[in-house]
Amino acid sequence: MGLKNLTGLVLLSLAVIVLPYALPDFYFKLIQIGIYALICIGLSLLLGYAGQISLGHAAFYALGAYTSAILTVRYGWSPWLAVWVGIGLTIILALAIGIPSLRLQGHYLAMATLAFGEIAFVVATAWVALTGGPSGFGHIPKWNVFGYRLVPPRADQAIFYFVWAAVILGLLVALNLINSRVGRALRAIHDGEQAADVLGIPTATYKIKIFVLSAAYASVAGSIYAHVSGYVNPGPFSVEHSILFITMVIVGGMRTVWGGVAGACLMGLLPELLADLEHWRFAIYGLILLIIMMFIPQGILLGVRDLIAWSLEKLPFRKADSPGETE
Amino acid sequence: MTPDAILEVRELSKRFGGVHALEGVECIVPEGQVFAVIGPNGAGKTTFFNCLTGVTRPTTGSIRFQNRPLAGLPSHRIAEAGIARTWQTIRLFEHMTVLENVLVGCHTRGSTGFPGAILRLPSQRREERRLREAAMNHLQRLEIAHLAHRPVSSLPFLQQRRVELARALAAEPKLLLLDEPAAGLNTRETGQLGELILSIREQGLTVLLVEHDMSLVMEISDQVLVLDHGVPIAEGPPRQIQENEKVIAIYLGSEAL
Amino acid sequence: MSDSAGYSNLMQFVLSGLAFGSIYAMVAIGFNIIYNATGIINLAQGEFVMLGGMFLVWGQDELGLPVWAAVAVSVLIVAAIGVAFERIAIRPLRNPSVLVLIIITIAGSFLFRGAVLLVWGDRLFSCDSFLSGDSIWILGAIITRQRILIFGTLLVVGGILAVFFGYTILGKAMRATAFNRTAARLVGINTRTMVMFAFGLSAAIGALAGAVVVPVTGIAWEHGVLLGLKGFAAAVLGGLGNNAAAVVAGLLLGVIESVAAGTISTDYKDAIALSALLIVLFIRPAGLFGRAELTRLGQL
């Protein structure tokens, strides 16, 4: 996968290990952000690599969360088992949405997933017998990791490690995929679908598969969320959240999976920086999305890299042409 | 089908609404030849290529490649069958490096799928090494190996052309379709291109060539098909085409031949 | 007796469905106008509708305008917003991909929604019926005058558009642009102006729909999403780009939704309407009345 990505993973792992000791009053804020990061990694595979958009990923996030919640609370299943059922259901649903709409072009997947996301939210709110309706339900058991029950007082730290271990695993999977025949084919589809097809890439199949994979990321994130928060209601699964995820991916930079993680951190910490953001939220998300898309379409992460490269070029001690490497 | 024909086209027509882009095109391309398709602008040459590669679906007619019917198949199946092409306007994957572009060209030479890629199985890593080696060989052959890690968007036009050709060759096709490969080249570069095409033919590939540069066509082609407004008006060896009065009237008359 | 009660209930659902259907039809026309001019599906379309309702209430309450003047002011302001959106966010893009356009119009929709939330808060606004007087009995069902007005608005908008696209120079130029942009440019049509005008017209029609619906449902900052989605459903149902079909499809969608809400469940009303969208998208992507071949899609 290249030295750069390996270094990145090692550095991220070290940062995760150290953070609870370095910033004991802050690190737990990164638990929810880690969950978002997991969704964003999957979404950046779809958005940045294959060039397809989903405005309904919160629905897959919800499916994972509710499946885990219902199976563990009502039927006493192990969370380890429930997460797989969530993935299975998500795959079925993603195929049902993806196969018909990915046959069509461009806007259709966007609108189909948007409608699907809205339907999922309506069902989560209205099907009270299954989901507990608007008030949801609680007492979801904490995740049991290798016999080490994630409970207070050390719970936050354990949960933090658990969530970010999942993020790092998710990154590893995504990076492996990208740096392969499959990943190149996906990027080719983004840059020129017809040219990719003529080179023997079955574009429709690839788009469906990557859509399903990215939905599975959201589902796993949902399962983790349910056990971490111990409580689910429809609130965090609205279409607005689907668009928040898109915003995170674009802010970080959609053409690299690292951008998904960076975007989740940046956008996730935004409410921390601006107190009492509730009413400003939409306008700020919209503005950020618009500005990034118009002026820094490669996202903050690659934007900063390009800026550094540019200033190095301007400075007198110009480097010799080194072979560039992309992730 | 003639025993040594690699491609056989019968009664091929393509209509866009009321416009007849192609009408009753027929040709038999013998294996191992350079077969040129010429004609004035709007003659339907690119539409012909698009029909052969599944980019557009022919309205009527049959296309047989190595005795298998192709018409109506999706592009990626046609690619698997062994047809590769370049485009009149370059279509590289602009966010990728030169090597990555050529590696995409190798797509049909590999088999790694999602699970193999995610788990990084040993078989996947072996395949990756093999493909990289093959891709580098193609780059070397076109003398652009030193650019392997450059983003394609940073290259000048001529080198982008070469990358696109390398990408098509990397698919190791049996039939190579070149859509105006000499456009924008000077005389010396065109000469080199001609030699390259002949050396590709030496390897046993069949080349189907759409080209405006008549001296190149006449020099390297074994057979020439002339289209005018989608209709085939002449076919034969270059010398015969040059003397064909119908061809001279509609097309070559304007060129200083 | 129960039969006739069942009939009058059904009639009631159908007639109220026609009112909402008229709104969806107008939103669908808005989608079509921009789509025809640019190939863009404007995901901020629902926000134009919401803004239309908001500015109506603002005109009445803040400026003290009579209702008709408030409608006119609202339509003009929102049309200007539509034009500005095109100028600021769409036109500067060089060769935007579909993905970029989707994201830009989503950003626009969040921006409009967020701005309304900031300025007017998350309250539900309402206003009096435009026409005073009692509800009217038609075919055994009772229907308010405002709902009749909504239906009438659709008919007027549809009629004006038919004349506009059929007989005026500007309308013909817009149709030419939709049909073949390059050819339109060659015969001297300023296609950029046409695109700008399409955004303005589309926003104006959306705003009108938003204004007339306020006395029935009220209006709040978050109403744009569903109105937009259902309008899009109507546009797809009719076949993207086809205004006459969109009117039929919008009315049909309104009736289906209303009957489903009355006979199945109000909670699932929105889910049922959107499922209709998904089903049509998957089975007949060219729309109920469209040809099987998605010709325009090739241009995206």
Side-chain angles (χ1 to χ4, degrees), chain A residues 181 197-202, chain B residues 65-66 68 74-84 107-109 171-174:
Chain A
R181 175 176 177 267
D197 209 343
V198 165
L199 288 168
I201 297 166
Chain B
F65 175 68
Q66 295 191 312
R68 289 167 50 201
S75 296
H76 60 94
R77 295 245 170 230
I78 293 174
E80 277 166 15
I83 298 182
H107 190 83
T108 53
R109 318 307 314 165
E172 293 176 22
K174 300 186 192 80

Side-chain angles (χ1 to χ4, degrees), chain A residues 8-325:
Chain A
L9 279 180
V10 170
L11 287 179
L12 180 63
S13 307
L14 288 176
V16 166
I17 292 169
V18 172
L19 207 65
Y21 302 100
L23 299 168
D25 298 326
F26 171 76
Y27 75 91
F28 57 87
K29 288 174 180 163
L30 291 171
I31 292 173
Q32 181 62 48
I33 287 172
I35 292 172
Y36 285 155
L38 202 52
I39 303 173
C40 289
I41 294 169
L43 205 52
S44 78
L45 287 176
L46 180 72
L47 199 68
Y49 287 88
Q52 307 298 313
I53 197 165
S54 164
L55 303 180
H57 255 48
F60 299 120
Y61 182 38
L63 193 63
Y66 276 104
T67 305
S68 280
I70 290 165
L71 288 179
T72 51
V73 173
R74 302 245 171 92
Y75 301 98
W77 286 37
S78 148
W80 289 106
L81 217 55
V83 67
W84 286 104
V85 177
I87 293 174
L89 288 174
T90 299
I91 290 174
I92 294 169
L93 215 57
L95 283 174
I97 297 293
I99 290 177
S101 39
L102 283 163
R103 273 185 330 180
L104 307 166
Q105 287 181 4
H107 292 100
Y108 281 88
L109 184 66
M111 293 312 262
T113 49
L114 186 57
F116 167 67
E118 193 66 47
I119 292 171
F121 185 73
V122 169
V123 170
T125 313
W127 196 347
V128 179
L130 186 72
T131 65
S135 48
F137 65 93
H139 305 295
I140 302 167
K142 296 290 177 187
W143 209 305
N144 211 337
V145 186
F146 304 120
Y148 180 73
R149 216 166 152 72
L150 304 183
V151 286
R154 301 285 284 175
D156 276 355
Q157 192 173 348
I159 289 171
F160 172 80
Y161 283 150
F162 180 66
V163 167
W164 278 87
V167 172
I168 290 167
L169 188 66
L171 267 173
L172 190 66
V173 165
L175 288 169
N176 277 347
L177 187 72
I178 290 158
N179 293 285
S180 74
R181 175 176 177 267
V182 176
R184 282 190 300 268
L186 290 169
R187 290 165 62 198
I189 291 171
H190 190 169
D191 277 355
E193 194 166 335
Q194 211 164 53
D197 209 343
V198 165
L199 288 168
I201 297 166
T203 49
T205 316
Y206 270 79
K207 286 194 283 186
I208 289 164
K209 284 182 177 169
I210 198 67
F211 179 65
V212 169
L213 180 66
S214 92
Y217 268 88
S219 174
V220 172
S223 292
I224 294 175
Y225 168 80
H227 294 295
V228 166
S229 75
Y231 166 81
V232 285
N233 71 339
F237 307 114
S238 66
V239 168
E240 169 203 327
H241 282 82
S242 293
I243 295 178
L244 172 63
F245 302 149
I246 299 272
T247 311
M248 288 174 168
V249 170
I250 288 175
V251 165
M254 63 173 164
R255 280 184 185 269
T256 152
V257 284
W258 294 100
V261 179
C265 291
L266 286 171
M267 293 295 293
L269 288 174
L270 201 60
E272 300 293 326
L273 300 176
L274 301 157
D276 190 27
L277 195 77
E278 201 49 26
H279 276 52
W280 284 87
R281 202 176 46 192
F282 283 91
I284 286 178
Y285 288 171
L287 206 60
I288 289 175
L289 203 51
L290 204 61
I291 289 172
I292 295 269
M293 214 56 216
M294 293 183 72
F295 302 111
I296 329 172
Q298 73 271 44
I300 301 266
L301 209 58
L302 296 184
V304 168
R305 191 197 65 181
D306 292 351
L307 191 68
I308 292 171
W310 180 80
S311 32
L312 283 180
E313 198 132 309
K314 289 283 158 193
L315 291 173
F317 50 92
R318 209 184 139 174
K319 284 197 305 180
D321 234 10
S322 60
E325 197 190 338

Side-chain angles (χ1 to χ4, degrees), chain A residues 100 103-104 108, chain C residues 233 235-240 276-294:
Chain A
R103 273 185 330 180
L104 307 166
Y108 281 88
Chain C
V236 168
L237 218 57
L240 264 179
L277 165 66
L278 287 184
I279 291 167
V280 173
L281 264 185
F282 296 166
I283 297 172
R284 281 192 66 90
L288 293 176
F289 319 108
R291 287 184 300 123
E293 203 178 344
L294 285 165

